[in-house]
Amino acid sequence: MSETKSTHALEVRGLVKKFGNRTVLNDISFNLKRGEILVIMGGSGCGKSTLLRHLIGVLKPNEGEIHVLGTDITKLDDDGLAKVRRRFAMMHQFGALLNSLTVGQNVALPLLESGNVSESIADLVVKLKLELVGLTGFEHLKPSEISGGMRKRVGMARALALDPELLFCDEPTSGLDPVMTAVIDQLTLDMVHKLGITAVVVTHDMTSAFRIANKMIMLFEGQIIAQGSPDEIRNNPDPRLQQFIKGEADGPIPLKLSRDDYIKRLLSVD
Amino acid sequence: MQQPVPIQQQKKLSTLGNLVTSYHMEISERLEGEIPVVTIKGDIDLESSPKLREFLKTKSSSKCAKLLLDFAGVSYIDSSGLATLIEYFQATQPFKGKLALSSLSPRVRNVFEIVRLEQIFSLHPDTNSALAALNS
Ligand SMILES: Nc1ncnc2c1ncn2[C@@H]1O[C@H](COP(=O)(O)OP(=O)(O)O)[C@@H](O)[C@H]1O
Ligand SMILES: [Mg+2]
């Protein structure tokens, strides 16, 4: 299924990104083994989404190397990048579904765009992916007719349509209630443990982070201030880290949304 | 009823958009009594599953009564591969054709189970038990 068999799904070395003269990512280095879940944490504006956009090749760094599935994507042209892109997928922060299409058509999009799948096969794959995310029977509804949690799951189904080896998720559970968060987390765990894919998840939900992570990275103002196993992160004495961990989680089941989610809900016109 | 069956061998470079992917899937067939035993080797993925689909269409259009797919040599199956098997399963319903799969690796079996397909397909640990099920 793949031509490059590096044991690492990701290897990032000395990544620096500047917007104008502002350094947004500063000397980022980490590895991720295949079959593991990396959680990237950090407050709003610390650079999490910008880092993800580098990992999927949308942004090029000013300095550094980014090896994805064995290939340094900073050195690739568009054709080379397209070849690596075929092997990973991204679930976007706000689902990014097309409102004019049905749920099923949204999930089918990557399949039909790949150019190699007939419509009847694509229809069946859509059904399988909707089953995977617990939305069997919803294919004919429009995104506007389903809940936010369901839209997130449709986004997940679409990201999984082409069976990626590597899955990137930007805040897959933000704005979801604890039950729906647990559902998405379990899905991520199943994909990794049962199918052997690798996942990179950006989140600021600490309950969710500790539930799924093999490895964690804490970003602070564009720098990694800690990385390691969940236990190592839990026991790291850095006060910025401890404040983040304690400040965000209310115990095993958060009774309140995180501040950001609350504000987002309060102000959204959804 | 049994037609002489094409043996397909796929080993080539396929072009998909602007990317070139090498793949390797082989389909071969033998008879165990009256039951065709089809051995699939390699990866069943986006590039190779159309070949499997073509092959299975010859089976459904000849109303193949019993079919055994030996998965011992299958190292990977993606969703388009699963869809191809479901499509064949659907096509066998009008003539009540039987289908069994044998010798799935744990990883391949997981791909079926995660979307609960073990509840549709008859999955067996080896060809003997699959043949016994088809003969019962
Ligand atoms: N295209 C861009 N041009 C200029 N600044 C940007 C751009 N994208 C992000 N930034 C800035 O980089 C910082 C990190 O943003 P982002 O990665 O979105 O943070 P996070 O996802 O952690 O909330 C923010 O200060 C943001 O304003
Ligand atoms: Mg972000």
Side-chain angles (χ1 to χ4, degrees), chain A residues 1 79 86 114 116-118 120-121 124-125 128-129 131 162-163 194-195, chain B residues 16 18 43 46-47 53 76 78-79 83-84 86-87 107 110-111 114-116:
Chain A
M1 96 185 180
D79 284 357
R86 164 67 186 83
S114 82
N116 222 25
V117 184
S118 71
S120 55
I121 291 294
L124 284 166
V125 174
L128 293 176
K129 298 301 165 184
E131 164 64 21
L162 288 171
D163 301 296
K194 297 188 180 161
L195 301 186
Chain B
L16 176 65
N18 50 10
D43 292 352
L46 221 49
E47 285 89 57
R53 189 174 186 225
Y76 174 75
D78 74 357
S79 307
T84 301
I86 297 168
E87 190 184 50
R107 169 97 181 270
N110 278 341
V111 179
I114 204 168
V115 282
R116 297 195 289 175

PDB file of all heavy atoms in Angstrom, chain A residues 1 79 86 114 116-118 120-121 124-125 128-129 131 162-163 194-195, chain B residues 16 18 43 46-47 53 76 78-79 83-84 86-87 107 110-111 114-116:
ATOM      1  N   MET A   1       0.814  -1.196   0.000  1.00  0.00           N
ATOM      2  CA  MET A   1       0.000   0.000   0.000  1.00  0.00           C
ATOM      3  C   MET A   1       0.850   1.249   0.000  1.00  0.00           C
ATOM      4  O   MET A   1       0.382   2.343  -0.217  1.00  0.00           O
ATOM      5  CB  MET A   1      -0.988  -0.043   1.170  1.00  0.00           C
ATOM      6  CG  MET A   1      -0.601   0.663   2.442  1.00  0.00           C
ATOM      7  SD  MET A   1      -1.888   0.313   3.665  1.00  0.00           S
ATOM      8  CE  MET A   1      -1.259   1.195   5.036  1.00  0.00           C
ATOM      9  N   ASP A  79       3.678  18.089  -8.151  1.00  0.00           N
ATOM     10  CA  ASP A  79       3.409  16.695  -8.512  1.00  0.00           C
ATOM     11  C   ASP A  79       3.839  15.745  -7.410  1.00  0.00           C
ATOM     12  O   ASP A  79       3.126  14.804  -7.058  1.00  0.00           O
ATOM     13  CB  ASP A  79       4.153  16.320  -9.806  1.00  0.00           C
ATOM     14  CG  ASP A  79       3.470  16.906 -11.029  1.00  0.00           C
ATOM     15  OD1 ASP A  79       2.403  17.533 -10.839  1.00  0.00           O
ATOM     16  OD2 ASP A  79       3.981  16.724 -12.142  1.00  0.00           O
ATOM     17  N   ARG A  86      -1.939  11.921  -1.487  1.00  0.00           N
ATOM     18  CA  ARG A  86      -2.869  10.821  -1.711  1.00  0.00           C
ATOM     19  C   ARG A  86      -2.902   9.874  -0.494  1.00  0.00           C
ATOM     20  O   ARG A  86      -3.854   9.155  -0.284  1.00  0.00           O
ATOM     21  CB  ARG A  86      -2.421  10.092  -2.990  1.00  0.00           C
ATOM     22  CG  ARG A  86      -2.974   8.716  -3.246  1.00  0.00           C
ATOM     23  CD  ARG A  86      -4.462   8.740  -3.512  1.00  0.00           C
ATOM     24  NE  ARG A  86      -4.950   7.373  -3.615  1.00  0.00           N
ATOM     25  CZ  ARG A  86      -5.256   6.627  -2.560  1.00  0.00           C
ATOM     26  NH1 ARG A  86      -5.139   7.116  -1.352  1.00  0.00           N
ATOM     27  NH2 ARG A  86      -5.700   5.407  -2.733  1.00  0.00           N
ATOM     28  N   SER A 114     -10.676  11.407  -7.114  1.00  0.00           N
ATOM     29  CA  SER A 114      -9.502  10.564  -7.357  1.00  0.00           C
ATOM     30  C   SER A 114      -9.528   9.975  -8.764  1.00  0.00           C
ATOM     31  O   SER A 114      -8.517   9.507  -9.272  1.00  0.00           O
ATOM     32  CB  SER A 114      -9.421   9.436  -6.332  1.00  0.00           C
ATOM     33  OG  SER A 114     -10.262   8.367  -6.723  1.00  0.00           O
ATOM     34  N   ASN A 116     -10.690   7.310 -10.016  1.00  0.00           N
ATOM     35  CA  ASN A 116     -10.499   5.880 -10.243  1.00  0.00           C
ATOM     36  C   ASN A 116     -11.672   5.037  -9.755  1.00  0.00           C
ATOM     37  O   ASN A 116     -11.608   3.825  -9.773  1.00  0.00           O
ATOM     38  CB  ASN A 116      -9.231   5.414  -9.516  1.00  0.00           C
ATOM     39  CG  ASN A 116      -8.413   4.462 -10.362  1.00  0.00           C
ATOM     40  OD1 ASN A 116      -8.517   4.503 -11.582  1.00  0.00           O
ATOM     41  ND2 ASN A 116      -7.646   3.614  -9.713  1.00  0.00           N
ATOM     42  N   VAL A 117     -12.742   5.702  -9.297  1.00  0.00           N
ATOM     43  CA  VAL A 117     -13.810   4.976  -8.632  1.00  0.00           C
ATOM     44  C   VAL A 117     -15.126   5.214  -9.364  1.00  0.00           C
ATOM     45  O   VAL A 117     -15.503   6.352  -9.625  1.00  0.00           O
ATOM     46  CB  VAL A 117     -13.950   5.460  -7.172  1.00  0.00           C
ATOM     47  CG1 VAL A 117     -14.988   4.646  -6.435  1.00  0.00           C
ATOM     48  CG2 VAL A 117     -12.615   5.373  -6.454  1.00  0.00           C
ATOM     49  N   SER A 118     -15.828   4.138  -9.679  1.00  0.00           N
ATOM     50  CA  SER A 118     -17.126   4.296 -10.330  1.00  0.00           C
ATOM     51  C   SER A 118     -18.142   4.768  -9.303  1.00  0.00           C
ATOM     52  O   SER A 118     -17.942   4.621  -8.103  1.00  0.00           O
ATOM     53  CB  SER A 118     -17.573   2.963 -10.911  1.00  0.00           C
ATOM     54  OG  SER A 118     -17.928   2.109  -9.844  1.00  0.00           O
ATOM     55  N   SER A 120     -21.103   3.658  -8.477  1.00  0.00           N
ATOM     56  CA  SER A 120     -21.749   2.670  -7.612  1.00  0.00           C
ATOM     57  C   SER A 120     -20.805   2.196  -6.510  1.00  0.00           C
ATOM     58  O   SER A 120     -21.230   1.964  -5.372  1.00  0.00           O
ATOM     59  CB  SER A 120     -22.281   1.487  -8.432  1.00  0.00           C
ATOM     60  OG  SER A 120     -21.249   0.929  -9.200  1.00  0.00           O
ATOM     61  N   ILE A 121     -19.513   2.100  -6.816  1.00  0.00           N
ATOM     62  CA  ILE A 121     -18.543   1.750  -5.775  1.00  0.00           C
ATOM     63  C   ILE A 121     -18.443   2.905  -4.768  1.00  0.00           C
ATOM     64  O   ILE A 121     -18.445   2.691  -3.552  1.00  0.00           O
ATOM     65  CB  ILE A 121     -17.163   1.429  -6.388  1.00  0.00           C
ATOM     66  CG1 ILE A 121     -17.219   0.123  -7.189  1.00  0.00           C
ATOM     67  CG2 ILE A 121     -16.083   1.339  -5.303  1.00  0.00           C
ATOM     68  CD1 ILE A 121     -17.473  -1.138  -6.368  1.00  0.00           C
ATOM     69  N   LEU A 124     -21.244   2.845  -2.291  1.00  0.00           N
ATOM     70  CA  LEU A 124     -21.054   1.829  -1.241  1.00  0.00           C
ATOM     71  C   LEU A 124     -20.003   2.274  -0.226  1.00  0.00           C
ATOM     72  O   LEU A 124     -20.169   2.085   0.980  1.00  0.00           O
ATOM     73  CB  LEU A 124     -20.659   0.488  -1.863  1.00  0.00           C
ATOM     74  CG  LEU A 124     -21.809  -0.284  -2.516  1.00  0.00           C
ATOM     75  CD1 LEU A 124     -21.278  -1.423  -3.388  1.00  0.00           C
ATOM     76  CD2 LEU A 124     -22.762  -0.832  -1.453  1.00  0.00           C
ATOM     77  N   VAL A 125     -18.917   2.868  -0.713  1.00  0.00           N
ATOM     78  CA  VAL A 125     -17.884   3.345   0.213  1.00  0.00           C
ATOM     79  C   VAL A 125     -18.475   4.415   1.136  1.00  0.00           C
ATOM     80  O   VAL A 125     -18.204   4.426   2.346  1.00  0.00           O
ATOM     81  CB  VAL A 125     -16.639   3.874  -0.540  1.00  0.00           C
ATOM     82  CG1 VAL A 125     -15.653   4.502   0.431  1.00  0.00           C
ATOM     83  CG2 VAL A 125     -15.963   2.748  -1.318  1.00  0.00           C
ATOM     84  N   LEU A 128     -20.259   2.751   3.881  1.00  0.00           N
ATOM     85  CA  LEU A 128     -19.327   2.173   4.859  1.00  0.00           C
ATOM     86  C   LEU A 128     -18.760   3.253   5.776  1.00  0.00           C
ATOM     87  O   LEU A 128     -18.644   3.059   6.988  1.00  0.00           O
ATOM     88  CB  LEU A 128     -18.172   1.455   4.142  1.00  0.00           C
ATOM     89  CG  LEU A 128     -18.537   0.210   3.346  1.00  0.00           C
ATOM     90  CD1 LEU A 128     -17.310  -0.331   2.619  1.00  0.00           C
ATOM     91  CD2 LEU A 128     -19.122  -0.861   4.266  1.00  0.00           C
ATOM     92  N   LYS A 129     -18.406   4.396   5.186  1.00  0.00           N
ATOM     93  CA  LYS A 129     -17.806   5.465   5.997  1.00  0.00           C
ATOM     94  C   LYS A 129     -18.831   6.075   6.946  1.00  0.00           C
ATOM     95  O   LYS A 129     -18.502   6.442   8.071  1.00  0.00           O
ATOM     96  CB  LYS A 129     -17.197   6.550   5.108  1.00  0.00           C
ATOM     97  CG  LYS A 129     -16.069   6.065   4.227  1.00  0.00           C
ATOM     98  CD  LYS A 129     -14.919   5.477   5.033  1.00  0.00           C
ATOM     99  CE  LYS A 129     -13.978   4.670   4.159  1.00  0.00           C
ATOM    100  NZ  LYS A 129     -12.915   4.020   4.931  1.00  0.00           N
ATOM    101  N   GLU A 131     -21.350   4.458   8.218  1.00  0.00           N
ATOM    102  CA  GLU A 131     -21.496   3.451   9.278  1.00  0.00           C
ATOM    103  C   GLU A 131     -20.370   3.607  10.310  1.00  0.00           C
ATOM    104  O   GLU A 131     -20.587   3.553  11.516  1.00  0.00           O
ATOM    105  CB  GLU A 131     -21.478   2.049   8.662  1.00  0.00           C
ATOM    106  CG  GLU A 131     -21.239   0.891   9.639  1.00  0.00           C
ATOM    107  CD  GLU A 131     -22.346   0.724  10.678  1.00  0.00           C
ATOM    108  OE1 GLU A 131     -23.464   1.205  10.448  1.00  0.00           O
ATOM    109  OE2 GLU A 131     -22.057   0.111  11.743  1.00  0.00           O
ATOM    110  N   LEU A 162     -10.739   7.943   1.496  1.00  0.00           N
ATOM    111  CA  LEU A 162      -9.705   7.292   0.678  1.00  0.00           C
ATOM    112  C   LEU A 162      -8.752   6.452   1.530  1.00  0.00           C
ATOM    113  O   LEU A 162      -7.638   6.146   1.109  1.00  0.00           O
ATOM    114  CB  LEU A 162      -8.930   8.339  -0.123  1.00  0.00           C
ATOM    115  CG  LEU A 162      -9.706   8.978  -1.283  1.00  0.00           C
ATOM    116  CD1 LEU A 162      -8.935  10.152  -1.876  1.00  0.00           C
ATOM    117  CD2 LEU A 162     -10.010   7.967  -2.381  1.00  0.00           C
ATOM    118  N   ASP A 163      -9.178   6.076   2.722  1.00  0.00           N
ATOM    119  CA  ASP A 163      -8.380   5.218   3.604  1.00  0.00           C
ATOM    120  C   ASP A 163      -6.952   5.728   3.786  1.00  0.00           C
ATOM    121  O   ASP A 163      -5.981   5.042   3.417  1.00  0.00           O
ATOM    122  CB  ASP A 163      -8.348   3.773   3.063  1.00  0.00           C
ATOM    123  CG  ASP A 163      -9.732   3.188   2.952  1.00  0.00           C
ATOM    124  OD1 ASP A 163     -10.382   3.031   3.986  1.00  0.00           O
ATOM    125  OD2 ASP A 163     -10.172   2.919   1.813  1.00  0.00           O
ATOM    126  N   LYS A 194      -7.151  -0.545  15.297  1.00  0.00           N
ATOM    127  CA  LYS A 194      -7.652  -1.648  14.478  1.00  0.00           C
ATOM    128  C   LYS A 194      -7.158  -1.579  13.038  1.00  0.00           C
ATOM    129  O   LYS A 194      -6.958  -2.606  12.404  1.00  0.00           O
ATOM    130  CB  LYS A 194      -9.177  -1.679  14.503  1.00  0.00           C
ATOM    131  CG  LYS A 194      -9.711  -1.935  15.908  1.00  0.00           C
ATOM    132  CD  LYS A 194     -11.200  -2.162  15.911  1.00  0.00           C
ATOM    133  CE  LYS A 194     -11.677  -2.419  17.340  1.00  0.00           C
ATOM    134  NZ  LYS A 194     -13.119  -2.192  17.465  1.00  0.00           N
ATOM    135  N   LEU A 195      -6.984  -0.379  12.516  1.00  0.00           N
ATOM    136  CA  LEU A 195      -6.571  -0.281  11.112  1.00  0.00           C
ATOM    137  C   LEU A 195      -5.112   0.095  10.955  1.00  0.00           C
ATOM    138  O   LEU A 195      -4.569   0.075   9.854  1.00  0.00           O
ATOM    139  CB  LEU A 195      -7.456   0.727  10.361  1.00  0.00           C
ATOM    140  CG  LEU A 195      -8.951   0.414  10.344  1.00  0.00           C
ATOM    141  CD1 LEU A 195      -9.699   1.391   9.453  1.00  0.00           C
ATOM    142  CD2 LEU A 195      -9.226  -1.019   9.893  1.00  0.00           C
TER     143      LEU A 195
ATOM    144  N   LEU B  16      -2.568   7.431 -12.100  1.00  0.00           N
ATOM    145  CA  LEU B  16      -3.776   7.959 -11.493  1.00  0.00           C
ATOM    146  C   LEU B  16      -3.565   9.452 -11.380  1.00  0.00           C
ATOM    147  O   LEU B  16      -2.822   9.925 -10.551  1.00  0.00           O
ATOM    148  CB  LEU B  16      -3.946   7.327 -10.110  1.00  0.00           C
ATOM    149  CG  LEU B  16      -5.100   7.822  -9.265  1.00  0.00           C
ATOM    150  CD1 LEU B  16      -6.418   7.480  -9.905  1.00  0.00           C
ATOM    151  CD2 LEU B  16      -5.027   7.205  -7.880  1.00  0.00           C
ATOM    152  N   ASN B  18      -1.856  12.642 -11.840  1.00  0.00           N
ATOM    153  CA  ASN B  18      -0.446  12.857 -12.139  1.00  0.00           C
ATOM    154  C   ASN B  18       0.457  12.044 -11.219  1.00  0.00           C
ATOM    155  O   ASN B  18       1.617  12.323 -11.063  1.00  0.00           O
ATOM    156  CB  ASN B  18      -0.101  14.346 -12.051  1.00  0.00           C
ATOM    157  CG  ASN B  18      -0.592  14.935 -10.748  1.00  0.00           C
ATOM    158  OD1 ASN B  18      -1.014  14.204  -9.864  1.00  0.00           O
ATOM    159  ND2 ASN B  18      -0.530  16.239 -10.631  1.00  0.00           N
ATOM    160  N   ASP B  43      -2.286  -6.466  -2.705  1.00  0.00           N
ATOM    161  CA  ASP B  43      -3.120  -5.408  -2.121  1.00  0.00           C
ATOM    162  C   ASP B  43      -4.380  -5.213  -2.956  1.00  0.00           C
ATOM    163  O   ASP B  43      -4.296  -5.081  -4.176  1.00  0.00           O
ATOM    164  CB  ASP B  43      -2.365  -4.074  -2.115  1.00  0.00           C
ATOM    165  CG  ASP B  43      -1.180  -4.073  -1.158  1.00  0.00           C
ATOM    166  OD1 ASP B  43      -1.043  -5.044  -0.389  1.00  0.00           O
ATOM    167  OD2 ASP B  43      -0.409  -3.102  -1.194  1.00  0.00           O
ATOM    168  N   LEU B  46      -7.443   0.997  -4.395  1.00  0.00           N
ATOM    169  CA  LEU B  46      -8.091   1.803  -5.420  1.00  0.00           C
ATOM    170  C   LEU B  46      -7.635   1.446  -6.836  1.00  0.00           C
ATOM    171  O   LEU B  46      -8.417   1.490  -7.775  1.00  0.00           O
ATOM    172  CB  LEU B  46      -7.768   3.282  -5.137  1.00  0.00           C
ATOM    173  CG  LEU B  46      -8.872   4.309  -5.302  1.00  0.00           C
ATOM    174  CD1 LEU B  46     -10.139   3.886  -4.600  1.00  0.00           C
ATOM    175  CD2 LEU B  46      -8.397   5.653  -4.774  1.00  0.00           C
ATOM    176  N   GLU B  47      -6.363   1.083  -6.956  1.00  0.00           N
ATOM    177  CA  GLU B  47      -5.849   0.793  -8.288  1.00  0.00           C
ATOM    178  C   GLU B  47      -6.188  -0.624  -8.735  1.00  0.00           C
ATOM    179  O   GLU B  47      -6.413  -0.868  -9.911  1.00  0.00           O
ATOM    180  CB  GLU B  47      -4.323   0.977  -8.331  1.00  0.00           C
ATOM    181  CG  GLU B  47      -3.880   2.434  -8.353  1.00  0.00           C
ATOM    182  CD  GLU B  47      -3.706   3.012  -6.961  1.00  0.00           C
ATOM    183  OE1 GLU B  47      -2.924   2.444  -6.194  1.00  0.00           O
ATOM    184  OE2 GLU B  47      -4.361   4.016  -6.629  1.00  0.00           O
ATOM    185  N   ARG B  53     -13.205  -6.339  -9.532  1.00  0.00           N
ATOM    186  CA  ARG B  53     -14.601  -6.099  -9.861  1.00  0.00           C
ATOM    187  C   ARG B  53     -14.964  -6.739 -11.205  1.00  0.00           C
ATOM    188  O   ARG B  53     -15.995  -7.406 -11.325  1.00  0.00           O
ATOM    189  CB  ARG B  53     -14.809  -4.586  -9.925  1.00  0.00           C
ATOM    190  CG  ARG B  53     -16.246  -4.163 -10.035  1.00  0.00           C
ATOM    191  CD  ARG B  53     -16.353  -2.662  -9.941  1.00  0.00           C
ATOM    192  NE  ARG B  53     -17.724  -2.233  -9.911  1.00  0.00           N
ATOM    193  CZ  ARG B  53     -18.192  -1.217 -10.638  1.00  0.00           C
ATOM    194  NH1 ARG B  53     -17.379  -0.518 -11.403  1.00  0.00           N
ATOM    195  NH2 ARG B  53     -19.464  -0.893 -10.557  1.00  0.00           N
ATOM    196  N   TYR B  76      -3.568  -6.348   2.257  1.00  0.00           N
ATOM    197  CA  TYR B  76      -4.260  -5.085   2.515  1.00  0.00           C
ATOM    198  C   TYR B  76      -5.525  -5.029   1.689  1.00  0.00           C
ATOM    199  O   TYR B  76      -5.542  -5.447   0.526  1.00  0.00           O
ATOM    200  CB  TYR B  76      -3.335  -3.912   2.148  1.00  0.00           C
ATOM    201  CG  TYR B  76      -3.977  -2.548   2.222  1.00  0.00           C
ATOM    202  CD1 TYR B  76      -4.232  -1.944   3.446  1.00  0.00           C
ATOM    203  CD2 TYR B  76      -4.330  -1.857   1.057  1.00  0.00           C
ATOM    204  CE1 TYR B  76      -4.827  -0.690   3.519  1.00  0.00           C
ATOM    205  CE2 TYR B  76      -4.927  -0.597   1.116  1.00  0.00           C
ATOM    206  CZ  TYR B  76      -5.168  -0.026   2.351  1.00  0.00           C
ATOM    207  OH  TYR B  76      -5.756   1.210   2.422  1.00  0.00           O
ATOM    208  N   ASP B  78      -8.682  -2.050   0.956  1.00  0.00           N
ATOM    209  CA  ASP B  78      -9.229  -0.739   1.310  1.00  0.00           C
ATOM    210  C   ASP B  78     -10.744  -0.770   1.127  1.00  0.00           C
ATOM    211  O   ASP B  78     -11.335  -1.808   0.807  1.00  0.00           O
ATOM    212  CB  ASP B  78      -8.547   0.374   0.512  1.00  0.00           C
ATOM    213  CG  ASP B  78      -9.002   0.422  -0.941  1.00  0.00           C
ATOM    214  OD1 ASP B  78      -9.801  -0.440  -1.368  1.00  0.00           O
ATOM    215  OD2 ASP B  78      -8.540   1.335  -1.657  1.00  0.00           O
ATOM    216  N   SER B  79     -11.366   0.399   1.324  1.00  0.00           N
ATOM    217  CA  SER B  79     -12.826   0.449   1.265  1.00  0.00           C
ATOM    218  C   SER B  79     -13.364   0.180  -0.126  1.00  0.00           C
ATOM    219  O   SER B  79     -14.466  -0.356  -0.259  1.00  0.00           O
ATOM    220  CB  SER B  79     -13.312   1.821   1.737  1.00  0.00           C
ATOM    221  OG  SER B  79     -12.768   2.106   2.990  1.00  0.00           O
ATOM    222  N   ALA B  83     -16.183  -2.487  -0.938  1.00  0.00           N
ATOM    223  CA  ALA B  83     -17.358  -2.133  -1.744  1.00  0.00           C
ATOM    224  C   ALA B  83     -17.518  -3.102  -2.913  1.00  0.00           C
ATOM    225  O   ALA B  83     -18.630  -3.500  -3.262  1.00  0.00           O
ATOM    226  CB  ALA B  83     -17.234  -0.692  -2.243  1.00  0.00           C
ATOM    227  N   THR B  84     -16.400  -3.496  -3.503  1.00  0.00           N
ATOM    228  CA  THR B  84     -16.425  -4.431  -4.630  1.00  0.00           C
ATOM    229  C   THR B  84     -17.003  -5.784  -4.208  1.00  0.00           C
ATOM    230  O   THR B  84     -17.795  -6.391  -4.934  1.00  0.00           O
ATOM    231  CB  THR B  84     -14.988  -4.599  -5.180  1.00  0.00           C
ATOM    232  OG1 THR B  84     -14.522  -3.310  -5.587  1.00  0.00           O
ATOM    233  CG2 THR B  84     -14.941  -5.558  -6.342  1.00  0.00           C
ATOM    234  N   ILE B  86     -19.060  -6.209  -1.617  1.00  0.00           N
ATOM    235  CA  ILE B  86     -20.488  -5.995  -1.314  1.00  0.00           C
ATOM    236  C   ILE B  86     -21.306  -5.984  -2.600  1.00  0.00           C
ATOM    237  O   ILE B  86     -22.387  -6.567  -2.672  1.00  0.00           O
ATOM    238  CB  ILE B  86     -20.701  -4.668  -0.551  1.00  0.00           C
ATOM    239  CG1 ILE B  86     -19.990  -4.715   0.805  1.00  0.00           C
ATOM    240  CG2 ILE B  86     -22.195  -4.385  -0.356  1.00  0.00           C
ATOM    241  CD1 ILE B  86     -19.907  -3.359   1.492  1.00  0.00           C
ATOM    242  N   GLU B  87     -20.764  -5.330  -3.618  1.00  0.00           N
ATOM    243  CA  GLU B  87     -21.459  -5.282  -4.903  1.00  0.00           C
ATOM    244  C   GLU B  87     -21.677  -6.695  -5.452  1.00  0.00           C
ATOM    245  O   GLU B  87     -22.764  -7.021  -5.943  1.00  0.00           O
ATOM    246  CB  GLU B  87     -20.647  -4.437  -5.884  1.00  0.00           C
ATOM    247  CG  GLU B  87     -21.372  -4.123  -7.164  1.00  0.00           C
ATOM    248  CD  GLU B  87     -20.474  -3.370  -8.141  1.00  0.00           C
ATOM    249  OE1 GLU B  87     -19.333  -3.816  -8.403  1.00  0.00           O
ATOM    250  OE2 GLU B  87     -20.928  -2.338  -8.652  1.00  0.00           O
ATOM    251  N   ARG B 107      -5.281  -8.193  10.527  1.00  0.00           N
ATOM    252  CA  ARG B 107      -5.407  -6.802  10.096  1.00  0.00           C
ATOM    253  C   ARG B 107      -6.503  -6.638   9.048  1.00  0.00           C
ATOM    254  O   ARG B 107      -7.318  -5.711   9.113  1.00  0.00           O
ATOM    255  CB  ARG B 107      -4.046  -6.353   9.556  1.00  0.00           C
ATOM    256  CG  ARG B 107      -4.024  -5.044   8.826  1.00  0.00           C
ATOM    257  CD  ARG B 107      -3.583  -3.906   9.738  1.00  0.00           C
ATOM    258  NE  ARG B 107      -3.588  -2.648   9.026  1.00  0.00           N
ATOM    259  CZ  ARG B 107      -2.543  -2.171   8.368  1.00  0.00           C
ATOM    260  NH1 ARG B 107      -1.413  -2.831   8.357  1.00  0.00           N
ATOM    261  NH2 ARG B 107      -2.622  -1.030   7.732  1.00  0.00           N
ATOM    262  N   ASN B 110      -9.897  -7.019  10.608  1.00  0.00           N
ATOM    263  CA  ASN B 110     -10.292  -5.784  11.296  1.00  0.00           C
ATOM    264  C   ASN B 110     -10.963  -4.790  10.357  1.00  0.00           C
ATOM    265  O   ASN B 110     -11.894  -4.083  10.757  1.00  0.00           O
ATOM    266  CB  ASN B 110      -9.062  -5.095  11.911  1.00  0.00           C
ATOM    267  CG  ASN B 110      -8.686  -5.704  13.248  1.00  0.00           C
ATOM    268  OD1 ASN B 110      -9.498  -6.364  13.883  1.00  0.00           O
ATOM    269  ND2 ASN B 110      -7.451  -5.482  13.660  1.00  0.00           N
ATOM    270  N   VAL B 111     -10.470  -4.716   9.123  1.00  0.00           N
ATOM    271  CA  VAL B 111     -11.061  -3.792   8.151  1.00  0.00           C
ATOM    272  C   VAL B 111     -12.531  -4.158   7.907  1.00  0.00           C
ATOM    273  O   VAL B 111     -13.394  -3.286   7.777  1.00  0.00           O
ATOM    274  CB  VAL B 111     -10.266  -3.804   6.819  1.00  0.00           C
ATOM    275  CG1 VAL B 111     -10.889  -2.859   5.803  1.00  0.00           C
ATOM    276  CG2 VAL B 111      -8.803  -3.440   7.059  1.00  0.00           C
ATOM    277  N   ILE B 114     -14.583  -3.458  11.489  1.00  0.00           N
ATOM    278  CA  ILE B 114     -14.792  -2.088  11.944  1.00  0.00           C
ATOM    279  C   ILE B 114     -16.049  -1.485  11.298  1.00  0.00           C
ATOM    280  O   ILE B 114     -16.648  -0.563  11.832  1.00  0.00           O
ATOM    281  CB  ILE B 114     -13.518  -1.231  11.702  1.00  0.00           C
ATOM    282  CG1 ILE B 114     -13.480  -0.049  12.658  1.00  0.00           C
ATOM    283  CG2 ILE B 114     -13.398  -0.800  10.266  1.00  0.00           C
ATOM    284  CD1 ILE B 114     -12.140   0.670  12.692  1.00  0.00           C
ATOM    285  N   VAL B 115     -16.465  -2.030  10.152  1.00  0.00           N
ATOM    286  CA  VAL B 115     -17.747  -1.611   9.567  1.00  0.00           C
ATOM    287  C   VAL B 115     -18.770  -2.766   9.588  1.00  0.00           C
ATOM    288  O   VAL B 115     -19.705  -2.801   8.797  1.00  0.00           O
ATOM    289  CB  VAL B 115     -17.587  -1.037   8.137  1.00  0.00           C
ATOM    290  CG1 VAL B 115     -17.068   0.400   8.209  1.00  0.00           C
ATOM    291  CG2 VAL B 115     -16.651  -1.893   7.289  1.00  0.00           C
ATOM    292  N   ARG B 116     -18.549  -3.690  10.514  1.00  0.00           N
ATOM    293  CA  ARG B 116     -19.487  -4.786  10.809  1.00  0.00           C
ATOM    294  C   ARG B 116     -19.808  -5.680   9.613  1.00  0.00           C
ATOM    295  O   ARG B 116     -20.907  -6.204   9.477  1.00  0.00           O
ATOM    296  CB  ARG B 116     -20.787  -4.221  11.406  1.00  0.00           C
ATOM    297  CG  ARG B 116     -20.527  -3.519  12.737  1.00  0.00           C
ATOM    298  CD  ARG B 116     -21.799  -3.280  13.488  1.00  0.00           C
ATOM    299  NE  ARG B 116     -22.613  -2.241  12.866  1.00  0.00           N
ATOM    300  CZ  ARG B 116     -23.839  -1.907  13.278  1.00  0.00           C
ATOM    301  NH1 ARG B 116     -24.388  -2.554  14.293  1.00  0.00           N
ATOM    302  NH2 ARG B 116     -24.497  -0.952  12.687  1.00  0.00           N
TER     303      ARG B 116
END
